Amino acid sequence: MRLGDIPFSDYVREVLPRTAELWAGRRDFASYVAQTQEIARCGYGRRNFTTVGFYDGDTLVASIKRYARTLQFGVQRLRAVGIGAVFTPPQFRGRGYASAMLASVMDEARLQGCDLAYLFSDIRPEFYRELGFVVLPSRAISTRSDGLSKSRVEVRLLEESDWSGIRRCYDLGDRVRAWGFVRTPLVWDWIRLRMRHGSEHPVGVQTNLVVRRGRATAAYVLGLRAPEHDAYILDEYGFADTEAALLVAPLLRAAAGDLRRITGWAPPEGARDILGKTSLRKRKDAIFMAAPLSRAGQKWLTVASAPRAGDGVWSFDHI
């Protein structure tokens, strides 16, 4: 048995037809293939994304998508390997192939100097626990939109010229958190590509808003209006400083409009406080899990998994 990269043409032929039902979402199969190919060919994908297979002889018996990311932890930068789309064809299940594949991926990453492995589990987190993964805070928020600030602000739809300001807001927020994923320009391009694909949500219409101070972006919210759920589904927000933080609530109220609720993943620790009182519940899917591969990775995991630790990722960190 061996681990090896799967040429993308083979991945399209052997894997995607079987995983479309699980992960294509509202996309038809042709769009699912084309968008997966776009991710593989974008700047981030060429450097940091691979499709990996586990072979028994010449037979592909399991597969994953593998992502490279960097995590900021205090003054340290940790190398992380992200694992997504773990899949074993039905005829090969129950033989331990997925476990052996993941153990091989983690061993390889450890030898290459990675500090941690992470994933988002939709089913059977206990399977990953057996391989050394730890469940990290993974919660969702809900709050009534009419309970948010009624302050009047001049709201604008997100334009192309706003992205550099959004990046600055994110970086400023990242500095005050205990840890977070680093977003290079390539990572931002990858996130924007996924937003254009609309692959992260089964329903909703993109509604991304900003508030500017002069020519600078003071605050932003990214998400979707979903009348089907009477909710604005929040993906992310950011702000330039403590004064600009007061703009987020009226921005969210404007994004929701006549919709009753704001929902989404709980914002990372520190960012959530500006919303005031919200209800929190554990997510039943996309459960964030990580396994240490080095001493530095273990130190980070101890902090990230502490009983009082807050959520650490935005939904755009999902893979």
Side-chain angles (χ1 to χ4, degrees), residues 3 13 46 50 109 113 193 214 217 230 240 253 258 265 282 311:
L3 195 68
R13 183 180 64 255
R46 291 195 303 272
T50 50
L193 178 61
T217 301
D230 198 14
R253 188 181 177 97
D258 60 349
W265 287 19
K282 289 184 178 180
D311 296 67

Side-chain angles (χ1 to χ4, degrees), residues 73-148:
F73 177 45
V75 298
Q76 292 182 289
R77 288 203 166 193
L78 307 184
R79 291 179 60 190
V81 57
I83 296 167
V86 178
F87 182 75
T88 304
Q91 67 270 32
F92 299 127
R93 291 173 187 170
R95 305 184 190 181
Y97 285 133
S99 297
M101 173 181 63
L102 290 168
S104 298
V105 168
M106 292 164 68
D107 285 343
E108 183 178 87
R110 186 182 291 109
L111 290 173
Q112 292 172 349
C114 287
D115 298 292
L116 63 121
Y118 73 97
L119 53 82
F120 294 86
S121 173
D122 291 322
I123 55 174
R124 292 187 60 211
E126 62 275 10
F127 167 73
Y128 298 106
R129 283 197 188 100
E130 294 173 0
L131 295 170
F133 284 85
V134 174
V135 173
L136 298 173
S138 303
R139 297 175 293 181
I141 61 164
S142 179
T143 190
R144 291 182 61 91
S145 56
D146 60 9
L148 296 174

Side-chain angles (χ1 to χ4, degrees), residues 177 179 237 265-273 310-315 317:
R177 290 193 284 272
W179 64 271
Y237 58 73
W265 287 19
E269 186 177 16
R272 194 181 78 244
D273 299 340
D311 296 67
V313 294
W314 293 102
S315 64
D317 294 313

Side-chain angles (χ1 to χ4, degrees), residues 9 25 67 70 77 92 99 118 158 168 183 203 225 235 241 250 262 295:
S9 58
Y67 303 79
T70 300
R77 288 203 166 193
F92 299 127
S99 297
Y118 73 97
L158 172 68
R168 283 193 294 273
R183 292 190 185 172
V203 298
R225 284 176 52 83
D235 279 318
D241 49 44
I262 309 290
R295 289 184 179 180

Side-chain angles (χ1 to χ4, degrees), residues 240-252:
D241 49 44
T242 53
E243 182 181 350
L246 300 176
L247 301 171
V248 171
L251 257 179
L252 284 170

Side-chain angles (χ1 to χ4, degrees), residues 35-105:
Q35 292 178 0
T36 305
Q37 188 170 45
E38 268 195 283
I39 287 174
R41 291 179 174 176
C42 73
Y44 170 83
R46 291 195 303 272
R47 294 168 176 80
N48 301 292
F49 169 77
T50 50
T51 48
V52 178
F54 196 60
Y55 295 86
D56 190 346
D58 294 327
T59 304
L60 179 66
V61 295
S63 62
I64 63 164
K65 295 176 181 177
R66 182 171 58 193
Y67 303 79
R69 291 293 302 272
T70 300
L71 188 142
Q72 187 78 35
F73 177 45
V75 298
Q76 292 182 289
R77 288 203 166 193
L78 307 184
R79 291 179 60 190
V81 57
I83 296 167
V86 178
F87 182 75
T88 304
Q91 67 270 32
F92 299 127
R93 291 173 187 170
R95 305 184 190 181
Y97 285 133
S99 297
M101 173 181 63
L102 290 168
S104 298
V105 168

Side-chain angles (χ1 to χ4, degrees), residues 132-182:
F133 284 85
V134 174
V135 173
L136 298 173
S138 303
R139 297 175 293 181
I141 61 164
S142 179
T143 190
R144 291 182 61 91
S145 56
D146 60 9
L148 296 174
S149 170
K150 298 178 177 64
S151 299
R152 292 182 178 275
V153 293
E154 187 176 350
V155 174
R156 300 173 182 267
L157 288 172
L158 172 68
E159 297 178 359
E160 188 68 23
S161 59
D162 293 311
W163 279 107
S164 59
I166 286 174
R167 285 172 53 187
R168 283 193 294 273
C169 288
Y170 177 87
D171 290 343
L172 288 167
D174 213 29
R175 292 176 190 172
V176 301
R177 290 193 284 272
W179 64 271
F181 282 104
V182 175

